[in-house]
Amino acid sequence: MRFSRDRRGQSVVVGTVILFGFLIVALGVFQVQVVPTENANVEFEHSQAVEDDFGDLRNDVLRAGSTGSTGSTQIRLGTRYPARTFFINPPPVSGSLSTEPTGSIRVSNATVGDGAHPNAAAFWNTTPTFPTRSLRYDADYNEFDGAPELVYEHSVVAAEFDDAVLLRTGQTVVSDGRISLTALTGSVSESGVAPQSVDPRAVSASDTTVPLEPTGGNVTLELPTAVGNASRLADRWNRALPTGATAAPNATGEAIRITLANGSDPYRLALSEVSLDATGETEPAYVVPVGSESAAVGETVAVEVRDRYNNPVPDATVSFGGENRTTGDGGRAFFEPTASGPLVANINGSAGPVYESVTFDVSAGAGGGGATNRTYDVEWDEIDPVQVEEGTSEPLDILVSDAVSGAPIDDAAVEVAFAPIGSVSGVPSVAEPSETDASGRTTVSTFDTNSASAGDNFTLYATSGDDVGTLRVEVVAPGAPTRLYPDTSTELQGSITDFPNMQDEDGTVAVFDGQGSNAFDVETTTQSVPSGSYTLELGVGTVDLQGSSAGIDVVVEDESGNVLGSTTLDDGDSNTVVSLNVGTIDPEQDITVRYTADRQNDDLEIDYQRLVEQ
């Protein structure tokens, strides 16, 4: 049997093999040429995204340094390529983010000018420097050649190429007569593909600026840099700086030196420190008075503790003549002197340099030297003391006016702080008020008792300009009756000394005494008593009557002169609590209590006077 030769399938097989070969070649060309190109685009887009992340981080750092806020920025360290069924991708791109110490920020040929307290100038004359770091990002791209390394320092994001340096953001170091310097601290060291969060936190926020004037030449700023080519970086700084300011690398190429034009007005210097890893603490460097350095016995004196960046230091200890007080969030501490003479407030011990202490001149006379020189008048628009029930919160109003004309001051910045009176079981929280409105009013939105318990007492301080207003806050049990203490006293005859002692129940007394041949006749006034039924309670100390004295008359009157109640104190009332029903008071009005002695040598001690709502 013979088989015939049938070649009809050969062309199909050959065609298939040729087509398969073309497919293999096409796939190879796609793998070699198209996949790298597409991956390079992915890497380029990632590089651009990281630049955006660095811009966001830069904004968070500047915001933290200027306002004290805390931010969080994710840096996309690496990237992955899109999945491909028939093709092979290289490993994912890995990036690294790290800080590196670069040296210290320095300000040369400058001194603190007029308008700042001498202590600020004395500290500046110690030539402080401010260690800082730079933050660097680098990615190990597989295809994208020429991607820059990114460096953040001194308010700018710099893109560092092999042969060039570009700034991706503007600068805020010098602008409109202001110098703003932020020291970057903390340690960051991250690498990999996954995004990593960086959380800038203010160690010292630039709440305060000081005037800076040239001395011995032009004001010069030295900013250490991690950028390798300082000359090219300086060229970019020159383009970003305002007219009159110039930048050049220093002799070693490790810093940019910015020389400022000397103008007729001083620069305002704002310094801050921002940490990238939530570490770092600010330390007291110097102290300045708030308002006048003259006061009278019983008036409030205040100081502000500042760090090396000229910013307030909270929770710092200040010794006022040996009695310690702690600064609040605004860096301020308060004290009421009880004796005349020099009063020294100091930090960091008693043997430090001159800028670590302030001396107040305390006089015995009412009003002192501070009141006559004040430009601001700060008052709490509340009944003093104000009572807040345990476990609740209350809004409290503050008024700021011109001390001479009495006109309200608009847009006045007000800071508040508190100090416990005696031993307390817990501490409250106090919201910072906004600036005053056109009527000179602002409000502490919440005084929250928090863990403070009934019986705890606190002094609230409000400061604005050169004055301090005080308010006593009593934490009372829920449903406790309202207790109102006198606001003012008037000497018709004789005298009253230590009147403020009547405004609390701490065991100290106010003393009523006759003068010359006159027996004492003194009135106290409790202002704006709300409508209600009240009892007058007197914490009586010693009643010392002369011979056949008929006693000391106590008369309670309303604004119209109507007598609401009366009693007479004699020796038997010493060291007791005397109660007097005064009935219903309506409408809200001032209530006067008049103390009239029968004989010139009659004396009286009162621990407290209060109207208690029934």
Side-chain angles (χ1 to χ4, degrees):
M1 178 181 291
R2 294 183 62 185
F3 294 93
S4 63
R5 296 179 179 178
D6 189 350
R7 299 180 180 180
R8 288 175 296 177
Q10 288 181 348
S11 61
V12 174
V13 171
V14 171
T16 301
V17 170
I18 291 173
L19 287 175
F20 185 74
F22 279 128
L23 177 62
I24 296 299
V25 170
L27 291 176
V29 170
F30 194 94
Q31 176 69 56
V32 172
Q33 295 184 359
V34 178
V35 170
T37 300
E38 291 184 351
N39 286 349
N41 290 335
V42 170
E43 293 171 352
F44 174 77
E45 291 175 359
H46 173 258
S47 177
Q48 296 299 299
V50 174
E51 287 191 13
D52 291 341
D53 294 344
F54 252 59
D56 293 340
L57 177 60
R58 173 250 192 195
N59 294 338
D60 278 345
V61 170
L62 296 180
R63 192 177 301 113
S66 62
T67 69
S69 63
T70 299
S72 181
T73 300
Q74 278 203 337
I75 306 296
R76 288 165 275 195
L77 293 185
T79 188
R80 300 180 185 275
Y81 304 107
R84 293 183 169 90
T85 304
F86 298 107
F87 304 100
I88 300 173
N89 281 324
V93 173
S94 177
S96 62
L97 183 70
S98 61
T99 52
E100 51 188 288
T102 52
S104 293
I105 298 171
R106 303 175 189 274
V107 182
S108 306
N109 302 332
T111 186
V112 171
D114 295 338
H117 190 270
N119 280 5
F123 175 74
W124 186 260
N125 289 339
T126 64
T127 317
T129 59
F130 311 97
T132 188
R133 292 171 173 255
S134 297
L135 182 67
R136 179 181 292 274
Y137 173 81
D138 185 25
D140 185 16
Y141 292 119
N142 295 296
E143 305 295 345
F144 179 31
D145 293 329
E149 295 184 17
L150 299 179
V151 177
Y152 172 74
E153 58 188 24
H154 313 302
S155 81
V156 299
V157 175
E160 188 175 9
F161 297 87
D162 290 339
D163 56 356
V165 176
L166 300 176
L167 296 186
R168 298 307 199 194
T169 65
Q171 62 84 28
T172 62
V173 170
V174 183
S175 175
D176 297 328
R178 180 184 174 101
I179 302 170
S180 301
L181 300 172
T182 298
L184 199 65
T185 60
S187 179
V188 174
S189 180
E190 302 287 352
S191 62
V193 179
Q196 295 293 331
S197 291
V198 181
D199 305 320
R201 180 185 69 86
V203 177
S204 177
S206 55
D207 287 353
T208 308
T209 63
V210 296
L212 208 61
E213 297 180 349
T215 175
N218 293 73
V219 176
T220 302
L221 314 177
E222 188 167 286
L223 311 180
T225 182
V227 175
N229 194 324
S231 295
R232 288 175 176 161
L233 178 62
D235 290 340
R236 295 298 171 177
W237 269 99
N238 275 317
R239 300 183 188 185
L241 288 169
T243 302
T246 60
N250 70 350
T252 63
E254 296 176 343
I256 299 299
R257 181 170 293 154
I258 297 175
T259 303
L260 305 181
N262 294 339
S264 57
D265 296 325
Y267 288 95
R268 301 298 304 187
L269 174 65
L271 294 165
S272 59
E273 178 185 332
V274 174
S275 172
L276 297 181
D277 65 357
T279 62
E281 292 184 356
T282 186
E283 299 291 339
Y286 68 95
V287 61
V288 296
V290 178
S292 174
E293 292 176 65
S294 298
V297 171
E299 287 186 340
T300 301
V301 297
V303 297
E304 182 174 291
V305 179
R306 297 178 182 173
D307 59 19
R308 62 193 289 104
Y309 301 96
N310 302 313
N311 298 320
V313 181
D315 300 321
T317 299
V318 182
S319 173
F320 289 90
E323 295 189 38
N324 289 342
R325 296 290 187 271
T326 302
T327 59
D329 290 341
R332 295 183 174 184
F334 306 88
F335 187 74
E336 292 80 32
T338 58
S340 60
L343 172 66
V344 178
N346 59 271
I347 59 174
N348 302 334
S350 58
V354 62
Y355 50 78
E356 291 187 353
S357 64
V358 171
T359 301
F360 293 93
D361 181 15
V362 181
S363 62
T372 58
N373 296 322
R374 288 204 316 268
T375 56
Y376 279 48
D377 184 33
V378 181
E379 295 181 347
W380 291 89
D381 191 23
E382 302 289 343
I383 295 172
D384 190 359
V386 65
Q387 296 176 334
V388 181
E389 290 188 357
E390 177 184 336
T392 66
S393 63
E394 291 287 342
L396 302 171
D397 286 347
I398 301 167
L399 292 175
V400 181
S401 59
D402 186 285
V404 178
S405 68
I409 297 178
D410 191 8
D411 291 329
V414 180
E415 295 185 3
V416 295
F418 68 87
I421 301 174
S423 177
V424 296
S425 58
V427 295
S429 61
V430 184
E432 284 292 335
S434 60
E435 294 180 345
T436 57
D437 58 21
S439 65
R441 181 181 298 273
T442 186
T443 299
V444 175
S445 59
T446 54
F447 174 91
D448 196 324
T449 58
N450 288 343
S451 57
S453 302
D456 290 346
N457 293 279
F458 302 89
T459 300
L460 270 179
Y461 301 93
T463 62
S464 184
D466 55 0
D467 193 30
V468 181
T470 62
L471 174 70
R472 183 185 177 108
V473 179
E474 298 177 345
V475 181
V476 298
T482 300
R483 296 177 176 180
L484 306 177
Y485 296 82
D487 296 291
T488 62
S489 65
T490 304
E491 297 171 340
L492 304 176
Q493 286 189 155
S495 66
I496 178 173
T497 57
D498 298 325
F499 165 71
N501 291 340
M502 296 179 66
Q503 298 171 316
D504 55 40
E505 304 165 45
D506 62 357
T508 58
V509 296
V511 178
F512 297 73
D513 194 8
Q515 287 183 338
S517 60
N518 297 318
F520 67 78
D521 188 1
V522 176
E523 289 182 346
T524 66
T525 302
T526 304
Q527 300 170 347
S528 303
V529 177
S531 299
S533 298
Y534 291 88
T535 296
L536 176 70
E537 293 183 355
L538 300 176
V540 182
T542 300
V543 180
D544 186 6
L545 302 180
Q546 174 187 355
S548 58
S549 171
I552 298 171
D553 292 333
V554 181
V555 179
V556 184
E557 297 180 349
D558 63 15
E559 281 186 349
S560 302
N562 299 316
V563 176
L564 304 180
S566 64
T567 188
T568 300
L569 303 178
D570 58 27
D571 293 338
D573 293 312
S574 293
N575 302 312
T576 65
V577 176
V578 174
S579 297
L580 176 63
N581 183 20
V582 299
T584 300
I585 296 174
D586 186 51
E588 179 180 300
Q589 58 189 294
D590 295 349
I591 299 299
T592 300
V593 180
R594 186 169 182 173
Y595 298 82
T596 306
D598 183 51
R599 298 292 180 91
Q600 67 184 62
N601 289 330
D602 290 347
D603 295 325
L604 172 64
E605 295 178 345
I606 295 291
D607 177 14
Y608 60 85
Q609 171 196 304
R610 64 192 182 199
L611 287 168
V612 181
E613 187 176 17
Q614 301 304 299

